[in-house]
Structure formats: structure tokens, C-alpha cells
Amino acid sequence: CPSSPKHPSTPSEKCGVLNVTKITENGKKVRKNWTSSWTVLQGSSLLFAKGQGGSTSWFGSNQSKPEFTVDLRGGSVEWASKEKSSKKHVIELKTRQGTELLIQSEIDSVINDWYRALTETISTHSDE
Ligand code: I3S
């Protein structure tokens, strides 16, 4: 993974393309809007950039402002129930700030790796 402009010396732990939608923002339900996002896990932050993924030079380029960042500290992840989405392999991520996201990949191994990484990140940073 490339490093972020904010923390150029910190390598990101994980990155890749995932399908993402918010379902709740600050405790309020919002309409689903699935988008393919370049997703980067770095420290206790998860960054999403809209649009075409796959490019490893995303952070290096100019149109590379993260669309949004989620603070994983105090958050939780679980596999989403069927009621939350009809898609396969969906992770539900809840933040302490009251934002809920669904994260999905068609690829089993990919989503399993993210599930593991997110769970580890949350437990590593649980006492911050
Ligand atoms: O939870 P919902 O409302 O069934 O979610 C679906 C909708 O957001 C749908 O868009 P519309 O707002 O145009 O109805 C999306 O296309 C679907 O992907 C959403 O369901 P899934 O099960 O794919 O998360």
C-alpha cells in the first residue's frame, strides 16, 4: 500500500477496492448508496476514496482527497444480517460516533481479510 500524504512515513496496513455504503450517519438512518471505494486502513483510521479503485498511486496523485475517514477506535464490526443487505459477504461497521457502514466484496478471501484486519485494529486500539 502507498502511504498517505498526512503520514508519509507510516505505511498503511492494508488497502484495496471495496463496495461501501453508509447506512447511518451520526445516529440517523441515511439512504444506501453503494460505491466502489479505494479503501485504506492506516493505524486506527479507515479511509475511503470514491471512484475507480485498483490504482496504487491513489495517495500520490492530486485528485486523491479521501472522501471520508472513519475512526475505528471504540467501534465494532460484525457480519451483516440478511436484513441489512441482500448482498453476500457484507461487514457492518459501527463507529463510536454513530456512523454505520456496510462494506462488501464479492471475493470471499478479500472480505475475510478485511474482517480480520478491522477486528484486530479495533482490539489493538480499544484502550485509547
Ligand atoms: O436496504 P435496501 O433499501 O433494500 O437497499 C437497497 C437500495 O439501497 C437500492 O437502491 P434504491 O435506493 O434505488 O432502492 C440498492 O440498489 C440496493 O443495492 C440496496 O440493497 P442491497 O441489498 O444491495 O444492500
Side-chain angles (χ1 to χ4, degrees):
C1 289
S3 53
S4 86
K6 268 192 180 171
H7 309 281
S9 59
T10 315
S12 40
E13 284 94 66
K14 190 165 176 56
C15 59
V17 181
L18 293 171
N19 300 317
V20 184
T21 183
K22 265 182 208 167
I23 53 169
T24 308
E25 196 164 21
N26 304 315
K28 265 187 82 178
K29 199 167 183 254
V30 294
R31 189 168 179 180
K32 273 185 190 170
N33 179 25
W34 285 103
T35 29
S36 175
S37 284
W38 180 245
T39 308
V40 180
L41 174 62
Q42 194 161 46
S44 59
S45 296
L46 191 62
L47 290 79
F48 298 98
K50 211 180 221 162
Q52 181 58 32
S55 162
T56 51
S57 64
W58 174 71
F59 269 127
S61 69
N62 282 334
Q63 9 90 276
S64 62
K65 293 237 174 71
E67 160 116 43
F68 60 96
T69 303
V70 168
D71 182 1
L72 294 172
R73 289 173 298 176
S76 66
V77 282
E78 59 185 302
W79 293 108
S81 66
K82 284 200 191 115
E83 288 71 43
K84 297 276 171 162
S85 177
S86 62
K87 295 185 196 305
K88 273 191 282 182
H89 318 308
V90 181
I91 294 171
E92 189 178 0
L93 168 64
K94 297 183 188 181
T95 71
R96 191 164 51 189
Q97 292 75 31
T99 298
E100 291 177 87
L101 305 173
L102 299 181
I103 298 170
Q104 192 260 358
S105 169
E106 290 298 324
I107 306 159
D108 227 345
S109 56
V110 167
I111 201 71
N112 282 321
D113 281 355
W114 277 99
Y115 186 87
R116 202 173 312 132
L118 293 171
T119 311
E120 277 170 18
T121 301
I122 288 170
S123 65
T124 305
H125 296 272
S126 64
D127 49 4
E128 281 172 24

